Amino acid sequence: MSKKIAIIQGHPDPVGHHFGHALADAYMEGAGEASHETRTLEVARLEFPLLHTKTDFEHGTPPEDILKAQETVRWADHLVLLYPLWLGGMPAVLKGFLEQLFRPAFVTGAADDFAHTSARALKGKTAQVVVTMGMPAMAYQWFYGAHSLKSLERNILGFCGIGPIHHTLIGMVEAGDDADRAKWLEKLRELGREGK
């Protein structure tokens, strides 16, 4: 069964050409082979300010690029979020994007009842989170507890009703050779084919 998939590229470099961009391309190729529909959001190329107040978060008018991103997320059955680990978490521009994207009115339909309502407009959507990092993935997962990933999955995506949420951790990206990279690219192609 074909899916509608939104690929959210969370790398903060708008120029691209990073391994995370190649991973997103590989996922898209695999999804295309299986006749899934895809749309891509390049966070670094979107125009939006950081939110500074609760009033802006709850009642401000989202910028045009955020409204378009919300429409893409609304359209999708499945979200794929890719980003590099920076200082133990997601890059700041991605966090700023998610704050703009998941405003209360978008998530629940009620700007002033964000924390209490059980209604979640994104319920039924699934997600795959792909995180690249310089350290071994096992060190991030077991020594550091993957705390920032857990927070993203539980406190952002899960809170918005998205689930199930799966993740792929790719460590030692700078130290990897061509064979390592080819293995990961094929893994992302396979995830794309499966719509996972």
Side-chain angles (χ1 to χ4, degrees):
M1 181 173 145
S2 66
K3 290 184 178 178
K4 295 180 287 188
I5 303 171
I7 300 170
I8 302 171
Q9 176 55 258
H11 199 291
D13 186 349
V15 175
H17 308 300
H18 296 277
F19 188 50
H21 294 91
L23 291 167
D25 291 343
Y27 185 98
M28 197 178 327
E29 288 169 14
E33 291 169 10
S35 299
H36 299 302
E37 291 182 68
T38 59
R39 294 182 186 175
T40 301
L41 293 168
E42 295 270 353
V43 173
R45 296 183 181 181
L46 303 180
E47 294 290 331
F48 58 88
L50 295 179
L51 290 167
H52 291 275
T53 69
K54 182 174 185 271
T55 300
D56 281 347
F57 177 60
E58 292 180 346
H59 303 288
T61 301
E64 187 64 28
D65 280 356
I66 296 299
L67 290 172
K68 290 176 182 175
Q70 288 175 338
E71 181 52 41
T72 295
V73 170
R74 194 178 288 114
W75 163 86
D77 304 311
H78 182 64
L79 308 178
V80 179
L81 177 59
L82 305 98
Y83 64 90
L85 192 71
W86 280 20
L87 293 178
M90 70 180 77
V93 69
L94 178 57
K95 179 65 163 58
F97 168 76
L98 294 176
E99 289 173 1
Q100 283 276 9
L101 181 73
F102 294 130
R103 288 167 177 262
F106 177 64
V107 173
T108 68
D112 53 358
D113 195 23
F114 193 44
H116 302 100
T117 183
S118 60
R120 295 289 182 258
L122 305 181
K123 193 170 183 179
K125 297 181 188 300
T126 58
Q128 173 75 231
V129 180
V130 180
V131 186
T132 60
M133 62 196 74
M135 74 174 84
M138 291 290 284
Y140 174 67
Q141 192 160 16
W142 299 110
F143 184 78
Y144 293 103
H147 61 88
S148 60
L149 174 63
K150 289 177 183 175
S151 178
L152 168 63
E153 292 178 340
R154 180 186 60 238
N155 302 336
I156 300 176
L157 301 176
F159 182 77
C160 292
I162 297 168
I165 303 160
H166 299 283
H167 61 258
T168 301
L169 303 178
I170 305 175
M172 305 296 287
V173 292
E174 283 112 7
D177 58 21
D178 288 345
D180 292 328
R181 290 172 182 264
K183 177 190 77 170
W184 284 114
L185 291 170
E186 184 50 40
K187 167 74 173 175
L188 267 289
R189 265 186 217 98
E190 186 56 33
L191 287 173
R193 290 184 199 105
E194 295 174 356
K196 292 183 179 178

